[in-house]
Amino acid sequence: KQWYQRRVRAGPSFLLRVVLVRGQGPHEGVPFSHSICPTTFGTEGHQSTKLLYFQIKCLVDRGVILVGHNIAKQLKFVNIQLPGQQCIDTVDLFKSSLGATHPLQYLCPRLLDTEYNPGPQHAAQFALQLYEKFLELKRAGQFEKTLKSLHEGGTVGTV
């Protein structure tokens, strides 16, 4: 047999930061897990990804619903796919009918009346607040009007 040596090229390397915050109870919004996983795998990256996988699997097995901004895409980088009913992505909630999406920097001041602070902990907390705002707008029957105003570039009034 003839053996071939394959050259493996490293793809773009970056760190995936996953912060889990509590969504209910007296500690709502308080982080309880913070994982950093490199997307190019060495031994260290493999171990941190494995730990993240088992943390999320444990939560999913308990019926926890995970909410995040672009969460499905981020977890896909480390080969974690969640059941659709247990993964709520705020990018998809506030997507226009034409498929336009907005970053947290755009959504926070318009929907939450707060300035966006960068960082994974704040991103997790803002995603939770956006989901709560989505539920509030749906209950009030104002979601479609708010979404239209959001995608027209206007400032959304509070409900």
Side-chain angles (χ1 to χ4, degrees):
K1 284 186 173 179
Q2 190 174 14
W3 293 91
Y4 292 97
Q5 195 174 28
R6 290 179 69 195
R7 177 184 288 184
V8 178
R9 292 185 188 179
S13 178
F14 60 92
L15 294 175
L16 172 68
R17 298 181 141 225
V18 178
V19 176
L20 302 173
V21 297
R22 297 189 193 285
Q24 294 177 331
H27 300 291
E28 181 176 343
V30 177
F32 67 91
S33 176
H34 184 189
S35 300
I36 301 174
C37 300
T39 58
T40 55
F41 298 108
T43 308
E44 180 183 314
H46 179 69
Q47 292 302 319
S48 58
T49 303
K50 203 179 210 182
L51 178 63
L52 175 64
Y53 174 81
F54 283 114
Q55 284 177 335
I56 291 176
K57 183 176 180 348
C58 180
L59 292 171
V60 169
D61 289 346
R62 291 180 178 194
V64 172
I65 296 172
L66 299 177
V67 177
H69 195 75
N70 233 352
I71 187 171
K73 183 177 179 183
Q74 291 172 357
L75 292 178
K76 194 174 185 180
F77 280 115
V78 288
N79 290 329
I80 297 175
Q81 293 184 356
L82 301 174
Q85 66 273 17
Q86 284 188 266
C87 180
I88 298 171
D89 200 329
T90 54
V91 165
D92 294 333
L93 296 179
F94 294 100
K95 187 185 290 189
S96 77
S97 58
L98 299 175
T101 60
H102 298 291
L104 285 172
Q105 294 90 327
Y106 180 84
L107 294 173
C108 287
R110 288 164 179 80
L111 291 170
L112 303 176
D113 293 326
T114 185
E115 201 58 42
Y116 174 76
N117 297 320
Q121 177 180 336
H122 296 293
Q125 292 165 335
F126 286 133
L128 179 61
Q129 291 172 11
L130 281 173
Y131 177 62
E132 291 169 349
K133 184 68 170 183
F134 166 79
L135 294 175
E136 176 187 332
L137 291 168
K138 280 288 204 181
R139 280 192 297 270
Q142 295 290 314
F143 180 70
E144 295 302 323
K145 178 182 170 189
T146 303
L147 190 63
K148 184 178 179 187
S149 175
L150 183 68
H151 291 293
E152 288 175 353
T155 304
V156 179
T158 58
V159 175

